[in-house]
Amino acid sequence: MCGKLYVVATPIGNLADFSFRAIETLKQVDLIAAEDTRHIIMLLQHYGISKPLISLHQHNEEHASKGLIERMQQGQSIALVSDAGTPLLSDPGLPLVKLCKQSGIDVVPIPGACALIAALSASGLPVSRFSFEGFLPRTSSARKTFFQSKLLETSTWVFYESSHRIQATLEDLAEVFPSEHPIAVAREMTKIHETILQDSLVSILERVKNEENMRKGEFVVIVGGVPDKHEDELVSEEQRRILELLMQECSIKTAVALAVEITGQRKKILYQLALEIQETKAG
């Protein structure tokens, strides 16, 4: 009989966030495939687990996965773990899981810690619908292009960011989205210096700029969606004309701000209209 692949979530910081089932699974499998064997061995030692380890990371997983499939076809069971959290979520493992599916090998999830879900649950932003975008592009221009594509997103969206780019990424976001747009930033989830902020984009950006600790650690950034437009939030033809004229000469943020001053209309309504005008022109 074939063995099984167990996809095991590990703690993202606090070692106590490890389930009894996960511990028992790692004790019972024949082999543990880890993103970094040097990292995972500390967790195994903490729980008195001694099992053979093999490295499975982004640079070798295509080749190494084939060997692991052969082991499972011979009857061995294998646990897949990442450095922290749930494997495959911006971590290695997909090629192995796909090969298991193609080979008829059972894949068993052992759920547990996940920075994405933990941050969402404490963010204070709507979570009934959300999308996960992983890590964003490294260049500023590519990030801004991505942010432009999210301007009309009505549901919450989430991405991971590193300490090296968190300030630059929020600055790029602030060039595309209005300063009062709601976001949340969570850093060092479940660790000693865990911080979860929910405020306007401009307020959180200022915190990141002014507080050194807010540029340290691993980050989850959560961006609220654009509110759906209600029937009672109607814009007159004159207000629309003024906004369109301003958008020909200014950025969306500036055009909306000026249109609010001129027309007295609510900023949220004009911002939503500006996004609709921009999408129409782009299409």
Side-chain angles (χ1 to χ4, degrees):
M1 288 183 64
C2 284
K4 297 180 180 180
L5 177 68
Y6 295 90
V7 182
V8 182
T10 56
I12 56 178
N14 192 319
L15 292 181
D17 294 333
F18 204 31
S19 71
F20 291 117
R21 185 183 178 204
I23 295 169
E24 289 303 311
T25 298
L26 294 187
K27 287 181 177 180
Q28 293 172 8
V29 296
D30 298 292
L31 178 71
I32 298 173
E35 183 179 2
D36 187 336
T37 56
R38 297 166 301 177
H39 182 91
I40 202 67
I41 199 167
M42 293 185 290
L43 177 67
L44 299 181
Q45 290 175 344
H46 182 81
Y47 284 100
I49 301 170
S50 178
K51 287 290 177 177
L53 296 171
I54 187 171
S55 180
L56 185 78
H57 49 74
Q58 62 177 335
H59 302 297
N60 77 343
E61 60 180 332
E62 294 288 348
H63 173 73
S65 293
K66 296 176 182 178
L68 295 177
I69 291 294
E70 293 177 1
R71 285 173 177 259
M72 286 182 280
Q73 288 174 332
Q74 294 168 5
Q76 294 187 25
S77 288
I78 296 174
L80 170 66
V81 298
S82 62
D83 285 350
T86 303
L88 278 74
L89 293 184
S90 293
D91 281 325
L94 180 59
L96 178 58
V97 171
K98 289 177 67 175
L99 280 175
C100 284
K101 295 294 185 180
Q102 294 168 6
S103 303
I105 296 172
D106 288 342
V107 179
V108 182
I110 310 296
C114 176
L116 163 68
I117 301 302
L120 275 169
S121 70
S123 70
L125 293 175
V127 295
S128 57
R129 290 178 57 241
F130 67 89
S131 61
F132 176 53
E133 307 297 340
F135 284 95
L136 299 190
R138 292 177 176 269
T139 66
S140 175
S141 60
R143 286 195 297 266
K144 290 176 185 176
T145 298
F146 170 78
F147 292 148
Q148 288 283 347
S149 73
K150 304 295 283 187
L151 275 170
L152 292 176
E153 180 63 63
T154 57
S155 61
T156 298
W157 47 283
V158 191
F159 61 91
Y160 288 162
E161 191 52 274
S162 70
S163 59
H164 306 295
R165 291 191 293 272
I166 183 63
Q167 180 175 331
T169 295
L170 292 180
E171 288 173 343
D172 291 339
L173 184 63
E175 288 194 26
V176 177
F177 277 73
S179 58
E180 76 279 3
H181 195 86
I183 72 167
V185 170
R187 61 178 286 272
E188 296 293 84
M189 294 299 299
T190 79
K191 300 175 184 176
I192 294 175
H193 299 294
E194 175 183 271
T195 306
I196 305 171
L197 303 177
Q198 196 270 302
D199 208 330
S200 65
L201 172 55
V202 66
S203 296
I204 290 184
L205 177 55
E206 285 303 307
R207 288 281 300 271
V208 171
K209 286 180 177 179
N210 296 328
E211 298 179 25
E212 184 179 358
N213 284 337
M214 285 303 300
R215 300 190 298 274
K216 295 179 179 180
E218 298 174 326
F219 293 82
V220 182
V221 181
I222 304 169
V223 183
V226 178
D228 288 324
K229 187 175 179 181
H230 300 290
E231 290 184 2
D232 59 340
E233 295 179 340
L234 299 178
V235 179
S236 69
E237 286 299 318
E238 179 64 10
Q239 290 172 339
R240 182 185 183 95
R241 186 183 72 83
I242 291 172
L243 180 59
E244 288 181 330
L245 288 173
L246 290 169
M247 287 179 64
Q248 294 175 14
E249 305 294 332
C250 311
S251 67
I252 285 182
K253 289 175 63 176
T254 302
V256 169
L258 291 173
V260 169
E261 291 293 326
I262 296 170
T263 67
Q265 180 56 275
R266 291 170 58 194
K267 189 173 186 178
K268 183 184 77 171
I269 298 173
L270 290 177
Y271 172 60
Q272 179 66 24
L273 177 60
L275 296 180
E276 293 173 1
I277 292 171
Q278 183 184 61
E279 185 182 39
T280 299
K281 290 181 178 179

